[in-house]
Structures are given as C-alpha cells and as structure tokens.
C-alpha cells in the first residue's frame, strides 16, 4: 500500500491507496474517482505503517479494496460508510477533537 502524509493547519491529512489503483480512474453513474500521483503518491508501506498513519490522522482518504478492508478490520472505518465505485472501495475518515 502507498501512504502520503501532509501536515495541514487542521491536522494530519493522510492519503492511502492500494499499489494497483495509483493512477487509475474509477467511474460509475455520476461518480468519478481519480487516484492521482499528486494526492495519493507517497511511500510504499506494510499494514503496520498504514495503521500507524491512520492512528495519527485527522483526515484520511483511503482507496482500494486492501487498504479499506484493513481500515475496517482495525476499527478506523465502519463498513456501512464505504463507497464502491466501479469495483474499488473508497472511504474517508474525519476525526474531530
């Protein structure tokens, strides 16, 4: 999986995607999701690295079946809040303090 972290005035923004979806566009009905290198490109990491990033994130965007399933398994995302767009999964996390 690929993780890109950015510090913002509002907190840590984390973008996570499966390796095989980077650069892809998924379209379904009126939805379009492009997994750009600019936003999602970052460092390859293992599950532990993804979990570490999610545990510190204020906001996270997660794309890809593997990444979203890991976020669900670890309790960061509720499965009921996952979107499926053209065969891939997308979820967002917003942590409010």
């Amino acid at each position: 999986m690929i993780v890109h972290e950015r510090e913002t005035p509002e907190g840590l923004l984390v973008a996570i995607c499966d390796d095989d979806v980077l650069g892809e566009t998924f379209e379904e009905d009126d939805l379009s999701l492009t997994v750009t290198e600019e936003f999602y490109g970052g460092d390859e990491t293992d599950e532990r690295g993804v979990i570490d990033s999610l545990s510190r994130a204020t906001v996270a965007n997660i794309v890809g079946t593997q990444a979203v399933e890991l976020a669900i398994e670890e309790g960061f995302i509720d499965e009921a809040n996952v979107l499926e767009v053209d065969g891939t999964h997308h979820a967002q996390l917003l942590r409010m303090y």
Side-chain angles (χ1 to χ4, degrees), residues 21 23-27 32-35 86:
V21 300
E24 298 292 327
T25 296
F26 300 93
E27 295 179 335
S32 180
L33 172 64
T34 301
V35 188
D86 192 21

Side-chain angles (χ1 to χ4, degrees), residues 6 28 30 34 36 52 91 96:
R6 301 171 187 78
E28 187 171 313
D30 59 349
T34 301
T36 64
D52 176 62
M96 300 178 73

Side-chain angles (χ1 to χ4, degrees), residues 4-5 9 16 20 23 27 39 41-42 48 53 57 66 70 73 79 81 90-91 94:
H4 187 168
E5 295 185 356
I16 300 170
D20 63 341
E27 295 179 335
F39 189 79
R48 183 64 27 216
S53 289
Q66 181 183 7
L70 178 62
E73 289 170 11
E79 189 171 6
N81 297 321
H90 177 261
L94 173 61

Side-chain angles (χ1 to χ4, degrees), residues 11-80:
L12 181 64
L13 170 63
V14 175
I16 300 170
C17 69
D18 290 358
D19 298 355
D20 63 341
V21 300
L22 187 62
E24 298 292 327
T25 296
F26 300 93
E27 295 179 335
E28 187 171 313
D29 298 324
D30 59 349
L31 290 177
S32 180
L33 172 64
T34 301
V35 188
T36 64
E37 176 75 34
E38 179 182 1
F39 189 79
Y40 288 94
D43 299 320
E44 286 204 34
T45 190
D46 60 10
E47 290 184 355
R48 183 64 27 216
V50 170
I51 293 165
D52 176 62
S53 289
L54 287 173
S55 69
R56 295 179 291 108
T58 304
V59 176
N61 288 280
I62 310 161
V63 180
T65 304
Q66 181 183 7
V68 171
E69 285 180 1
L70 178 62
I72 292 167
E73 289 170 11
E74 294 297 321
F76 294 106
I77 299 293
D78 185 326
E79 189 171 6

